[in-house]
Amino acid sequence: MLHHEAGRGPFALASHFRDDFFDCLTVRGDALFELADALLCKDGPVTAPVDLTLTAEHRRGHGAMYSALNRGEIDVPRLRQVLAGLPQPRAADGRLVLAVDVTHWLRPDASTSPERLFCHVYGRSGRSSDQFVPGWPYSFVAALETGRTSWCQLLDAVRLGPADDVAEVTAAQVRRIVEDLIGMGRWKTGDREVLVVFDAGYDAPRMAHLLAGLPVEVLGRMRADRVMRRPAPSREEFHLAHPYGGRPPKHGGEFRFAKPETWGDPDAATVQVTDRYGTARAMAWNRIHPRLTTRSAWIDHTAELPVIEGTQIRLQVDRLPGGNDPLPVWLWSSATGLAGDDIDIRWQAFLRRFDLEHTFRMIKQTLGWTRPKLRAPAAADRWTWLVIAAHTQLRLLREAAGDLRHPWERPAQPGRLTPARVRRGFRNLRPHLTCPARAPKPSRPGPGRPPGSKNRHPATHHNVGKTAKRPESIKERSRTGG
């Protein structure tokens, strides 16, 4: 595994990563490694994998490329540990900040590709309405940096299958990444808890419950129509209000996001002046929690439903960079008792989550992540890990790359090169790096199918959508025998 010493330069870091990455390619590793190099050395965006075989860095033919994608093998658990062992970016307070999000590899016309789901997309093909398009959804986990940047460290990618529960798969994914970070020495006892940031598509309290036992803090955005609960009154407060006795309540009064009269006075409030958003005002209420019921995601919970308390944060800004009217943002943190400075760190970390969107756009538009027309999901997974390895090499070499800008582009500030600009100079940096891939052996192509003969093994067509349905109520669970 990687062992990084202090003062080691970018070429040494990248070379060690390339050696470890090659060791993770267990079957057809030479072809897979050269394919990753061709991803970085091709001029312009990647439009098809077969075009990469025309680059000088790819010394094999197109048949070897397709054979590597379809029949190669990657030791994914070991590659995850290699990525976790790299120097990780940290927030201003020294903690690790992980962002989790799902992006889609749309395959609407691939009826012979199995395990496709209906992916929710916005405004595709010039339409303003939302659509559901068949494709492969992938859950990515990345370590975020501080400040405005388009860089992040991709740590893991998991394809969501038809029988998967998104929350449970994501929780297992985050748990595996945090354990790898601890095992590789990137988090030690005494460090601040790892901050895991989710968007509104995840239920933050449930994610906090699924990640219990780890040194993590969950921070997630919540819908503006949610209704939460205040902490239950103490025994003294309850007996003063009910002198004749009774059963103490488990939850306090309602906390409706849409009704300010239910908020009460905040436990903490901050005001900051920013360049992009104007004045940012944050208010926080302590020990706010949802009132859970034995339905939907909690239908299989047989014990008493937990009370998952946290800090509710409301963020309001004066303006948005696009000129739209700013709406308040509601955030929920699994930590309690946060002070003013802690609240500012949380909502600033949530804004950094959008840096992951820049990474998605880069790997799709420049590295061509969603361009191949692969049939097998396993081949798509191998291509995904090659793209992650290529993006990681760009991040390790960004300090050594020169600014090869086009005449119409502005000069980049020192240390502020984008991933696309670093990729332009990778061909000049590659001779200074190790290349463990072996030269190809001479071979002759096979005869293939005789001309004029028909295909006697047509591909199977697969349906799109979920194959497992969770019961929504106790009555439905009893009826189905779950």
Side-chain angles (χ1 to χ4, degrees), residues 74-412:
I74 301 178
D75 190 350
V76 174
R78 183 178 182 182
L79 183 53
R80 289 194 184 104
Q81 292 181 347
V82 170
L83 294 172
L86 294 173
Q88 302 297 328
R90 295 183 179 267
D93 59 349
R95 74 172 67 220
L96 286 168
V97 181
L98 304 181
V100 183
D101 202 359
V102 175
T103 187
H104 309 297
W105 184 339
L106 300 181
R107 300 300 310 277
D109 302 325
S111 58
T112 59
S113 294
E115 302 182 12
R116 291 183 303 160
L117 299 177
F118 287 105
C119 304
H120 186 203
V121 297
Y122 297 92
R124 188 168 180 260
S125 302
R127 303 179 183 178
S128 59
S129 59
D130 302 344
Q131 300 180 65
F132 289 92
V133 181
W136 288 318
Y138 276 83
S139 174
F140 281 84
V141 178
L144 301 180
E145 299 193 359
T146 58
R148 293 175 55 191
T149 179
S150 56
W151 290 97
C152 66
Q153 175 60 60
L154 293 175
L155 297 175
D156 192 17
V158 173
R159 178 174 46 83
L160 303 176
D164 292 337
D165 179 81
V166 177
E168 294 177 356
V169 172
T170 304
Q173 182 184 19
V174 174
R175 181 177 294 275
R176 184 171 55 243
I177 290 299
V178 173
E179 291 175 351
D180 287 342
L181 291 171
I182 296 174
M184 300 303 293
R186 295 304 168 186
W187 188 93
K188 301 177 182 178
T189 304
D191 294 348
R192 296 178 181 270
E193 290 184 334
V194 180
L195 185 62
V196 186
V197 185
F198 297 91
D199 203 4
Y202 300 88
D203 188 358
R206 186 188 178 200
M207 298 306 300
H209 177 74
L210 293 175
L211 295 175
L214 290 178
V216 300
E217 174 189 342
V218 172
L219 177 68
R221 186 173 67 171
M222 309 194 78
R223 292 166 50 99
D225 58 352
R226 288 289 297 266
V227 179
M228 304 290 281
R229 290 284 183 165
R230 294 183 173 278
S234 63
R235 287 186 173 273
E236 292 75 10
E237 294 173 345
F238 176 77
H239 288 305
L240 289 176
H242 303 82
Y244 296 102
R247 182 180 180 182
K250 189 177 180 180
H251 308 280
E254 288 186 344
F255 187 99
R256 292 180 175 268
F257 293 177
K259 292 186 176 181
E261 59 270 16
T262 63
W263 300 349
D265 296 332
D267 296 313
T270 63
V271 177
Q272 276 199 10
V273 179
T274 64
D275 297 333
R276 290 173 58 84
Y277 305 100
T279 303
R281 300 174 177 84
M283 298 185 295
W285 293 266
N286 193 28
R287 297 182 61 193
I288 303 299
H289 60 274
R291 185 172 181 264
L292 304 178
T293 57
T294 312
R295 294 180 58 86
S296 188
W298 300 92
I299 190 66
D300 297 328
H301 196 84
T302 56
E304 185 179 1
L305 292 173
V307 177
I308 309 172
E309 294 185 336
T311 301
Q312 194 69 54
I313 303 173
R314 182 182 186 271
L315 176 64
Q316 180 69 60
V317 298
D318 290 340
R319 62 178 183 272
L320 296 177
N324 298 327
D325 295 333
L327 298 176
V329 176
W330 290 93
L331 305 175
W332 186 88
S333 170
S334 60
T336 57
L338 299 180
D341 295 339
D342 299 327
I343 296 170
D344 290 337
I345 291 175
R346 267 64 177 180
W347 67 258
Q348 291 169 5
F350 175 78
L351 295 183
R352 294 274 61 81
R353 191 204 67 84
F354 293 98
D355 296 339
L356 189 56
E357 303 294 339
H358 299 291
T359 302
F360 289 159
R361 183 169 62 249
M362 192 270 173
I363 64 175
K364 288 182 178 181
Q365 297 181 359
T366 304
L367 297 181
W369 173 51
T370 57
R371 301 294 295 185
K373 306 300 182 182
L374 302 174
R375 176 184 298 174
D381 296 342
R382 296 185 194 100
W383 175 258
T384 301
W385 282 107
L386 292 183
V387 172
I388 292 176
H391 183 271
T392 302
Q393 295 182 58
L394 294 179
R395 179 178 174 272
L396 295 176
L397 291 171
R398 60 178 174 175
E399 296 180 359
D403 186 11
L404 303 181
R405 64 184 182 89
H406 295 307
W408 55 85
E409 294 177 338
R410 295 180 180 179

Side-chain angles (χ1 to χ4, degrees), residues 393-451:
Q393 295 182 58
L394 294 179
R395 179 178 174 272
L396 295 176
L397 291 171
R398 60 178 174 175
E399 296 180 359
D403 186 11
L404 303 181
R405 64 184 182 89
H406 295 307
W408 55 85
E409 294 177 338
R410 295 180 180 179
Q413 299 178 1
R416 298 287 295 179
L417 288 179
T418 62
R421 289 202 186 185
V422 175
R423 179 175 175 265
R424 292 176 190 171
F426 183 83
R427 178 169 285 172
N428 301 329
L429 303 175
R430 185 174 178 270
H432 304 280
L433 304 173
T434 59
C435 186
R438 294 160 294 188
K441 298 179 181 179
S443 62
R444 298 174 59 183
R449 195 169 67 219

